[in-house]
Structures are given as C-alpha cells and as structure tokens.
Amino acid sequence: MVGMRIADRLWDSVASQLGRPHGIAGRVVGRILNRGNYATVTAAVAAAEPTPGATVADIGFGGGIGLDKLLAAVGATGVVHGAEIAPTMIDEAAKRFRSEVADGRLVLHTAAMHELPLPAASLDAVISTNTVYFIEDLAPAFAELARVLRPSGRVVLGIGDPADMARMPFTENRFRLRPISEITERLADAGLVLREDRRIRNGRIEFHLLVCGRP
C-alpha cells in the first residue's frame, strides 16, 4: 500500500512536469520533450506548411523544438510567436534563441491557448502538440485559435491516440484523454474545419495530426 502511494506521487509529479515544466527538473524535462517529441513536432510543422515570410506560432512549445523548426521554415523575413504557460520554458527559449528574440524574428508570450495576446487574423499557421490533455475547457481555447488564424491559415494539433496514451502510467494523473471525435467536434464548434487526420507513429504512441482551417 505504501509502495502504491509512493508510485502514485511519482507519476503525479511526472504528469505535473509534463503539463507545466518548472524549476531545475523542468529544464531537464524540456530537453527530454525535445527528443521524445521530435518526430511529432517535425511532422506537425510540415503539415502546417509554413512558407518564407509567414507569421506563425507554436502554442505550448515546451522544450522549443517547434520554435526551431518554424524559424527555419519562415526564414529571415518571417515571424514566429511562441506561447507557453510555463515561465521556466519561456526563460529557456529566451536563452536558446537570444539572437532571434533580439531581432524580432521570435516573440515569446507567457500565455495559455485561451488568452493569446495576438491580433485577430494575424497568423498564417499554428501548431500545438501534446497540449490539449491539460486544457480543462476546449471551447475558449479553440475559439482563440480560430480568432487569430487568417482565412487561408492552418492549425495543426498533435494529439496522442487516447487508447495508446491510456497505457502510459503517468496519464492517470492530470491528463484529460478525450476521444478524437470529441476534439474534432469542439474544433468545428469554434469554426475550425478538419481537413485531414494525419497519423504518425512515435515510439509506442500513434499520433493524430489534426489539420484544420477556416471554412
């Protein structure tokens, strides 16, 4: 019984760090996320189809691999916005991308998906991977994605298949594993039309890349 309580506390701590990396441990988690999520984030960026000169965003960028990929895609004339709720990840990104922040190619925001400090119809593409599990109410979050997206823009959400995710021990704590159909319904309610449910496998988990746009 004691062993089970210790294990529960351990997995709860892991889930807490995955949802909002913080402190010294959070810096390590950020690097782990970059390695573990590399394939998924790379595929999400490709699905978003960012072009040179575009204005794009990574919402909940974690360790920052998505920022790196987006900066490369939009080039010297583009702008990348990175939004994160974890100040530790903001600090790490500010250090890692010091020159890009200084020249205005990367703009960092301490913000959640439901309160993005961006003008309406200002983004050509948005990616967000492994974030929806930690959002209690999808409606205002997805409404914000629709608000900031340009009419021709794309939103790509990277979401682990709920059946695969449920087999991970840490997802019993703090994770909200919703059916993909529920997520696509909430996207539609917000005015985002599903264009494609692209599947990729990353280790033991199949990921859904939900590619969405305005009607």
Side-chain angles (χ1 to χ4, degrees):
M1 202 68 176
V2 172
M4 289 179 64
R5 287 198 297 269
I6 293 173
D8 285 343
R9 287 197 295 270
L10 172 62
W11 290 125
D12 185 68
S13 177
V14 169
S16 174
Q17 284 288 356
L18 291 174
R20 189 190 295 249
H22 52 275
I24 295 173
R27 293 184 175 91
V28 175
V29 167
R31 297 184 185 99
I32 293 171
L33 289 173
N34 278 345
R35 291 196 297 271
N37 294 333
Y38 186 89
T40 304
V41 173
T42 299
V45 171
E49 299 182 355
T51 56
T55 301
V56 300
D58 186 349
I59 311 301
F61 58 77
I65 188 63
L67 301 178
D68 191 35
K69 296 290 183 182
L70 288 172
L71 284 164
V74 302
T77 58
V79 176
V80 176
H81 291 271
E84 247 297 342
I85 60 173
T88 298
M89 295 295 92
I90 293 283
D91 292 344
E92 289 293 288
K95 287 186 289 187
R96 177 180 175 186
F97 301 103
R98 186 177 291 107
S99 63
E100 290 84 357
V101 171
D103 65 20
R105 291 184 58 223
L106 175 62
V107 184
L108 299 174
H109 309 276
T110 303
M113 190 183 290
H114 68 274
E115 50 183 6
L116 299 174
L118 296 168
S122 60
L123 298 179
D124 298 295
V126 180
I127 69 165
S128 188
T129 59
N130 288 321
T131 54
V132 298
Y133 328 121
F134 307 105
I135 298 174
E136 183 175 356
D137 188 353
L138 295 179
F142 290 171
E144 271 291 83
L145 295 183
R147 182 185 70 82
V148 300
L149 192 68
R150 288 176 177 156
S152 60
R154 283 187 166 208
V155 170
V156 180
L157 296 180
I159 304 165
D161 186 82
D164 289 347
M165 293 291 288
R167 288 191 283 269
M168 301 292 106
F170 51 82
T171 60
E172 294 183 5
N173 302 274
R174 301 177 186 262
F175 279 67
R176 296 177 177 86
L177 301 181
R178 301 174 172 95
I180 297 299
S181 59
E182 179 183 336
I183 294 171
T184 58
E185 287 172 7
R186 298 292 81 76
L187 286 166
D189 291 344
L192 292 168
V193 178
L194 181 67
R195 307 293 189 198
E196 182 183 0
D197 180 355
R198 191 176 299 185
R199 311 289 181 90
I200 68 162
R201 181 156 289 278
N202 190 349
R204 297 164 60 189
I205 300 175
E206 181 179 57
F207 276 83
H208 297 255
L209 298 179
L210 303 182
V211 183
C212 308
R214 301 281 291 275

